[in-house]
Structures are given as C-alpha cells and as structure tokens.
Amino acid sequence: MLGAEPCHEVISGRHRSWKIAGTDKSSQNLRNGIRTARFFLQREISAMSTGGREWIQMSTPLEPSLQQIQEFFDELLGLLESRLMHQDTFMRDSIPPVERLVITLRYLGTGQSLASLHLAFLVGKSTASVIIRETCVAIWDALHAAVMAQPHKEQWKEIADVFQQTCQFPNCAGAIDGKHIRIKKPVRSGSQYYNYKKYFSFVLFAMCDANYSFRYIDVGSYGSRSDSAVFAHSDFGKMLHDKALDLPEHTALPGTTSPAMPFVFVGDEAFALGENLMRPYSSRGLSLARRVFNYRLTRARRVVECAFGILANKWRFLHTPIHLKLETAISAVKAACVLHNFVRARDGYNFEDSLTHSLHSHRPSVVRGHRQGAAVQEQFTAYFMSPHGALPWQLDAI
C-alpha cells in the first residue's frame, strides 16, 4: 500500500495478532482515509480453547441456527477433529479443527460471502474456500453412514407406521421430490445447468420420511433435467426399479384383509406412476374419489416440501446463489443435508421452520406410468372412500 509499511503477522503458539506499521507524515491523510477499511486488522484471535463454546459466542452471537446446536458442537467436533487436523510447519501454525468447523458452519448457517468470512476470521478468501470444501467433505464422510443409512425391512415398516399416524397414508415408505439449487455458471458447462426458470442450478433430489429427515439424496444433476430423468438415473431410482431396496412384503391396508398392497413412495406429477411409486391423477375431469386420492397423497407428499423448508431455513446459504466452485457447492449441499439429520435428531422440529423456503421445484413434465401402477393407484383410491380408509374431514378439504 502506498506510503505504508507491510502488515506484520505475529504468531506464537495458538496466538495470532495483526498490527499496522507506522507511516511517515506525508501519508497522514491517506492513513485517516483507510483507517475504517483496515480496522479488521486490529482484531485478535488468541488463547481460544479447543472446545466450541467460546468460538461460537465470539463468532455468532446473534445467529439462532448455530446457537441451537451449541451444546452439540463439541460432539460434532469430536467426530471431525482427526479429519480436519493439519500439520504445523516452520512457516506457520495450521488452522485448528475448531476454527475450520466454525468457519464452515458460519458459511452454511448464514450464506456469508468469502470476503465476509475473510474479514470475520482473518483468513484469506481462497483459504476460506478450501476450508469449506475440506470440512464439508469431512462432514459427509463422518455422518452420512450414521444419519442417512439405507433402511432395512423393519425400518421401512416403522417409517410407514409414522406416515399412517401423521399423514393417514398407509403403506407409504417415503416422499420424494427434487429442488433446484441456484449456483453461478460453471466453467465451460454450456447450457447443461441452465434451467427453465432461466438461471443456473443443479438438482437436489431427496427422499424423506414422515419425521422430515432425509433418507436418500442425489446431488449435482444438471439443472436442465426433469425430476423424472434425475430420478431414473439416480441410484435410488435404479434400486427401486430392480427391487433392491429391501422393501417389506405386500401387506393388506389397515382394516382390510385383501388385497395385499405394496409399499409405495409418493411424489408429484413429474414422476412416472409405478407399482411402488404413486403420483396424483391429472387435474382434468376428476371424479370425487380421485380428488380425495389427490388430497390424501398431497398430505403425505408435503413432508418432503417441509423437509426442504427446514433445510433452507436452518442452513441459509441455500437462500442465495452459491458462489463456490461446482464441486465445493455440491459438497456443501451434501454436508447441509446430513447436518439437517444430525441436528433434527437432537434439536426437534419447529413447524415455523418449514413454512417458506427458497428452493425451487421442477416444472412438472408429462410422464406415463404402467398398468400395474395404475391398478395400485385405483386400489388406494377405493380404500380412501371406504369406511375403513376414509377421513371425517376429507370431503370438506377438497
């Protein structure tokens, strides 16, 4: 900087401080003019404990998304510490795992820019980007097997029981949907990530249970693809097609003895009808029974919309375009999804969290199902109008 000596960094153990060297009298006006811009250099980060409480209180005094998980921060840090540890060198001490985790949670919880993180934590913008990428990968590797494991038969039955209790849709194993995650245009990507809403995005496809927890996610498909195409090319879609999800045997609906009905997933009209995948009837010329079926299916399908709402309102970087490299952005979304499950298992559910979100749905596309799926759909339709399956308020609701 003109008329100023270099900025000196003093490091001693875990103490780091920044100071501005003096300048000559001819640059007095210049120093007065840039004093505010350089004020961040006066901050100190020193003698912080290895626990998370002091770091959270220092960095995020007004952020409820991080304050709510403060008591679980040390648990999360314990799972990640060995993965985030870097070796000190003769040139400088490495950034400790606790600081790396706080920087990443600060970004995921607020969506602050790299420049803002640079000012808040006194690390370079490129360093902050690398920290976010490495920490998000570590979070996914450490948590996804524990909080997003593939259910087995008994767990599928437990999921279906919760759907029956909360949504009154029997034999429902999950709700599926896809959302656009807004990003900056990836380098040399052409129009692959340009969606019908006329911005660049990739797709977050998810299947969740009635407790608003994600059971499966697929992140990174082109924004130009439809929900049905993303689903068909995902591992989940292929396993469902190949009968490899270990779903329970066909079971009669509550209050009936026959016929035995398959366990199904519910989605919107963007998905193709199948034996294990239910979608609403077309909105044209619907009979009363079919309108009731659409209402009952929507009651079950809305849980995935609520899950997206909770996710976006808890991890607010999803409210704005992600200005990171594509690979880093995908890792950040995957980390947010497993953190969503991790926090929900300990933090509970607040209804207001799910009221709004900034994740955009796919435009429904016309896809055709097969006859076996149509037969299952008709069986559910008849059941919802029968004395055993009807709800007292369903006719008023439609």
Side-chain angles (χ1 to χ4, degrees):
M1 185 177 296
L2 180 63
E5 296 180 13
C7 172
H8 299 288
E9 179 178 355
V10 180
I11 302 179
S12 176
R14 301 189 68 242
H15 174 83
R16 296 189 292 164
S17 62
W18 288 260
K19 298 180 180 179
I20 296 294
T23 57
D24 55 49
K25 294 182 179 180
S26 65
S27 62
Q28 181 67 38
N29 293 334
L30 178 62
R31 287 191 291 120
N32 291 337
I34 65 173
R35 182 175 299 162
T36 302
R38 297 188 301 182
F39 176 74
F40 72 92
L41 291 176
Q42 305 300 322
R43 289 190 56 183
E44 291 189 354
I45 301 177
S46 61
M48 302 301 294
S49 72
T50 57
R53 182 174 297 274
E54 292 86 350
W55 283 91
I56 293 177
Q57 291 175 345
M58 179 200 74
S59 62
T60 57
L62 299 177
E63 294 170 14
S65 61
L66 290 183
Q67 291 289 355
Q68 291 173 359
I69 63 171
Q70 178 175 323
E71 59 186 86
F72 311 116
F73 183 91
D74 288 338
E75 178 186 354
L76 181 60
L77 179 62
L79 296 172
L80 301 175
E81 189 166 13
S82 61
R83 301 173 186 267
L84 300 180
M85 187 72 69
H86 285 64
Q87 187 174 2
D88 296 338
T89 68
F90 290 106
M91 298 296 294
R92 62 178 64 88
D93 289 345
S94 64
I95 299 176
V98 61
E99 187 175 355
R100 290 173 176 270
L101 183 55
V102 168
I103 290 173
T104 303
L105 293 180
R106 178 70 172 264
Y107 172 75
L108 298 179
T110 66
Q112 290 184 345
S113 65
L114 296 178
S116 178
L117 295 174
H118 158 67
L119 299 178
F121 292 93
L122 301 177
V123 297
K125 288 183 285 187
S126 60
T127 302
S129 178
V130 171
I131 287 174
I132 292 171
R133 173 175 56 82
E134 293 179 349
T135 306
C136 286
V137 170
I139 289 173
W140 171 259
D141 291 341
L143 295 183
H144 85 275
V147 303
M148 205 179 289
Q150 179 180 333
H152 51 72
K153 285 186 179 181
E154 293 302 319
Q155 291 176 326
W156 286 124
K157 291 180 180 179
E158 293 174 1
I159 293 172
D161 289 341
V162 178
F163 267 105
Q164 171 64 11
Q165 295 170 8
T166 59
C167 304
Q168 291 77 48
F169 199 104
N171 287 25
C172 181
I176 61 175
D177 199 6
K179 294 295 179 181
H180 288 287
I181 306 297
R182 188 189 293 259
I183 57 174
K184 67 177 183 179
K185 182 182 182 299
V187 178
R188 293 188 291 275
S189 63
S191 61
Q192 291 176 322
Y193 292 94
Y194 194 67
N195 63 41
Y196 75 99
K197 292 181 177 288
K198 303 190 183 305
Y199 61 82
F200 292 93
S201 67
F202 59 77
V203 178
L204 165 61
F205 171 80
M207 187 275 288
C208 76
D209 59 25
N211 290 321
Y212 309 96
S213 294
F214 296 112
R215 293 294 185 148
Y216 173 84
I217 60 171
D218 182 272
V219 187
S221 295
Y222 298 137
S224 58
R225 283 186 172 181
S226 65
D227 269 352
S228 56
V230 174
F231 172 74
H233 289 86
S234 67
D235 292 339
F236 178 81
K238 294 175 182 177
M239 293 176 69
L240 182 62
H241 180 269
D242 297 336
K243 309 292 184 182
L245 285 177
D246 195 27
L247 292 174
E249 300 295 332
H250 293 196
T251 305
L253 300 180
T256 67
T257 57
S258 64
M261 297 289 288
F263 283 77
V264 299
F265 298 91
V266 294
D268 58 22
E269 59 271 20
F271 298 95
L273 185 66
E275 181 184 8
N276 299 108
L277 180 57
M278 293 291 100
R279 52 165 285 175
Y281 288 103
S282 173
S283 58
R284 296 180 180 178
L286 292 180
S287 64
L288 178 63
R290 291 190 173 189
R291 289 168 59 196
V292 170
F293 173 84
N294 283 1
Y295 166 70
R296 297 288 292 271
L297 183 139
T298 301
R299 281 177 54 83
R301 190 189 63 80
R302 68 181 180 179
V303 299
V304 67
E305 298 282 353
C306 292
F308 284 134
I310 299 169
L311 175 72
N313 285 309
K314 180 73 73 175
W315 308 105
R316 291 183 173 268
F317 81 106
L318 295 171
H319 280 264
T320 58
I322 303 178
H323 293 282
L324 298 173
K325 292 181 180 179
L326 179 62
E327 295 78 10
T328 306
I330 292 174
S331 295
V333 173
K334 291 168 67 176
C337 290
V338 293
L339 285 172
H340 166 88
N341 286 5
F342 180 82
V343 173
R344 275 203 47 74
R346 296 156 175 80
D347 190 33
Y349 168 62
N350 182 0
F351 177 76
E352 294 180 355
D353 286 343
S354 67
L355 293 181
T356 60
H357 63 79
S358 60
L359 306 183
H360 301 288
S361 299
H362 270 70
R363 177 174 56 188
S365 56
V366 179
V367 289
R368 301 180 63 182
H370 55 71
R371 294 180 180 178
Q372 194 170 6
V376 174
Q377 189 181 42
E378 289 295 338
Q379 291 287 346
F380 274 109
T381 302
Y383 174 77
F384 291 147
M385 295 298 293
S386 70
H388 298 293
L391 297 177
W393 65 85
Q394 65 185 20
L395 296 181
D396 297 331
I398 63 173

